[in-house]
Amino acid sequence: MARKTATMDPGSDAPAGLAPGLERLPAGPTLFVGRRSELAALRAAAARPASGRCPVLVLAGRPGSGRTALAVRFARTTAADYPDGVLFARLSAPDGSRVPPARAARLLLEQLDPEAAVPLPGAAEDGRDEPGCVALRAALAGRRVLLVLDDVRDAGQLWPLLADEPGCLVLATTAGPLTGIEDIDPVILGGLDRPASGELLADLVGGTRISCDPVGGADLAEACASRPAALRLMAGWLRASPKSAVTEAVRELHRAVAEESAPPVKGDTAAAEPAVESAPAKPVKPVTPVKDGKAVKAGKPGKPGKPGKPVGAEKPVNAEQPQKGQEKGETAEKGGKGDKEGKGTGAAGAAGWVKPAPEPAEPVPVPDTDPLIGAFTLLYRTLPPARARMLRALTLAPAQTADPRTASALVGCPVPEAAETLAALAERELLGEEAPAEDGTPRYRVPGRLYPRLVRLREREDRPTETELARARLLERLVRLTDTARALLDPASGPAPEPLPAALRLHSAAHARQWLLGERELLLGAVADAIGQGDLDGSAGRLVTALLRALPLTGAAAPADLYRLHELVLTVAERNGRPRRASAALLNLGDLQVAAGRWEQAAGHYRAALEHARAVGDEPLCARALEGAAGCHRALGDAVRAADWYGRALGLRQSLGDRAAEARLLARVAEAHTAQRRFEEADREYRAALAVLRRLGDERGREAVGAALADLRERVDGGW
């Protein structure tokens, strides 16, 4: 059956390829119909003159309304107006978890400038915003960029990402409500109009089954509420049931919806499921910052702005005349004061006008009475067992995104078989096609609208031991791939792992680097998921170690990624009662903070590392932590505390017989004394350092310390 590849939207092939970043957008459906009025409304809103800050377009619709596909279509037709690029980020995961704005900002900043120094994650201080959001807003200054933010849960995710740059444009999709943002006239998606629904069904089903039964086609569209996702699933069911009439599809859909929404039979535990899809348990919270060995509590959020009228997703848009959205949301401060405060695109100026966010919204559920669930149930029942098992297993993939390499590990099948199964599931509209990997490997994603139902099916049909084994296989596959990439990038770094099968193999150092950087977020997500669940710490720990060895070899390892990995090491070490490893992780976190010039945060990590090291009596780790904390006090201008901490570190190094460290610390103590104008003590410590260096035969060290001592004496003689 031949499926049309031409779009029904006449303006969709505009020359938008001039803007970089279009490859980051989801592939979207091959066939796109209707939505002309909605596209016109978005274009008209984008053409309005901006005042002060980055304009925002909101596209609201229930799950399955096609809001993401419409956003991608709009972006492709408008990208030529934004020569500095198109950026894309999802602000919700398929499991319903909310992506923090700081993480989204770091992803967008990396897309905007791969060479940019992405700030380390950190909590807001004194009411200011997270460093990554500040850096993103500053980087957008003077640019014309289109930002597509998919599945925004609440205004609190959006506000920190908006820059004082009227040349940029933000297109946000949401299931609603989205309140608290001024000057927004949302485009609200309902179902497709009747002609578009008929065209979509006819082209997806093929043949003459729809054209010969226009009444049945109209009834099927009505049964699906004319929403694209349900229509696509029912078209897949009709293709899988070539002998079934369209009217039979309508009857089966009504029956499936009735079955799904029926109350459970009394005493039937298998049927005792909630009537409304609920999101799975929330993931484990990320590691909190450490200060003085204790977790730092996040600051209290500010009062939310007055909410505007909620953006509903039920109201359809007229096919011919675009309807205006709801009343404009009121701001936290009336009269547009927020735009006047802190103007400018620098980090400090941009942070000044960001408005406090409302409380995070809960995911919008898909009720069991929704035709989308009935259509999915019908199509799922037609799947062969192997494909159904694959579909359920993909809910275990990091970010619910997989390629043939990871999918084959989840179900334990050969890679070619996994690739065929993934393509078949995507052809039936059960998976969404993502942008391919750098090496051309196809990638797929579980749609968020189907994820809760698939989790319930997995929990009901797969044994817990099978699920745990699938997760373990995935982690071990990722460990082997990461180790292989490390061996290709640096053959001298250690023995190469056992060669992978041909379909999994990374063929060169360039391929290995490409794979590591392209899959970095998914690799980090896999580690975080495993450590969050806490039952596969061994495999997760091996993957962390492999990533810490491999990512720096790419030459593009972001300190923020290394920071996340060391935080995960800390989590596992503290959970398993391994203070020595926890101390080492805290020292690494402190070193990363020092490299970023964040001295107070680094000092907190070093002090926490000292407490863990003392618990096991590890004197080298204690000395290392003391010296790190002393360096932070020195950088902060606190010479008294610096001298004290350096002196304590010196005592430990002397007891350990570490002469090189002793000489270094003697010079540091001398510098701290000099800052306090204690010149005699400084002279004495410099001379002691010279004596140690003389015994070690370190001529370069003697020259450096001798020069510092000579400079000190010259200044003292000159009346300093």
Side-chain angles (χ1 to χ4, degrees), residues 476-555:
E476 292 301 328
R477 171 68 53 80
L478 295 177
V479 169
R480 288 189 66 188
L481 283 165
T482 305
D483 279 339
T484 300
R486 184 261 312 159
L488 287 169
L489 289 167
D490 185 9
S493 62
E498 182 181 347
L500 291 164
L504 292 169
R505 203 165 295 164
L506 303 175
H507 304 293
S508 65
H511 189 192
R513 182 179 187 277
Q514 197 178 60
W515 180 81
L516 275 172
L517 295 179
E519 301 299 312
R520 179 178 55 187
E521 276 300 315
L522 293 181
L523 290 166
L524 294 170
V527 174
D529 289 346
I531 290 177
Q533 297 194 44
D535 56 348
L536 293 172
D537 281 353
S539 296
R542 285 192 291 277
L543 182 53
V544 169
T545 301
L547 287 170
L548 286 172
R549 295 176 66 191
L551 281 176
L553 298 175
T554 63

Side-chain angles (χ1 to χ4, degrees), residues 402-481:
D403 61 11
R405 291 188 181 98
T406 50
S408 66
L410 283 169
V411 299
C413 71
V415 174
E417 181 180 329
E420 181 183 351
T421 302
L422 290 170
L425 291 171
E427 195 273 337
R428 294 217 181 169
E429 313 289 349
L430 291 168
L431 292 178
E433 292 188 49
E434 292 287 277
E438 292 287 340
D439 60 0
T441 303
R443 301 168 69 194
Y444 304 88
R445 187 171 187 263
V446 176
R449 58 184 176 270
L450 303 180
Y451 175 84
R453 176 54 55 121
L454 286 170
V455 170
R456 287 167 59 179
L457 288 169
R458 189 195 73 216
E459 293 172 347
R460 187 172 64 196
E461 299 183 24
D462 299 332
R463 294 192 298 271
T465 53
E466 292 177 341
T467 298
E468 185 175 349
L469 181 59
R471 293 174 51 235
R473 277 197 306 262
L474 174 63
L475 288 173
E476 292 301 328
R477 171 68 53 80
L478 295 177
V479 169
R480 288 189 66 188
L481 283 165

Side-chain angles (χ1 to χ4, degrees), residues 145-191:
V145 174
L146 172 61
L147 295 90
V148 181
L149 305 178
D150 190 31
D151 205 7
V152 177
R153 284 263 297 276
D154 52 71
Q157 291 176 294
L158 204 53
W159 270 121
L161 306 178
L162 303 182
D164 274 339
E165 179 48 68
C168 294
L169 176 67
V170 169
L171 173 58
T173 73
T174 181
L178 188 63
T179 59
I181 300 180
E182 59 190 1
D183 299 328
I184 298 299
D185 202 9
V187 175
I188 304 174
L189 292 186

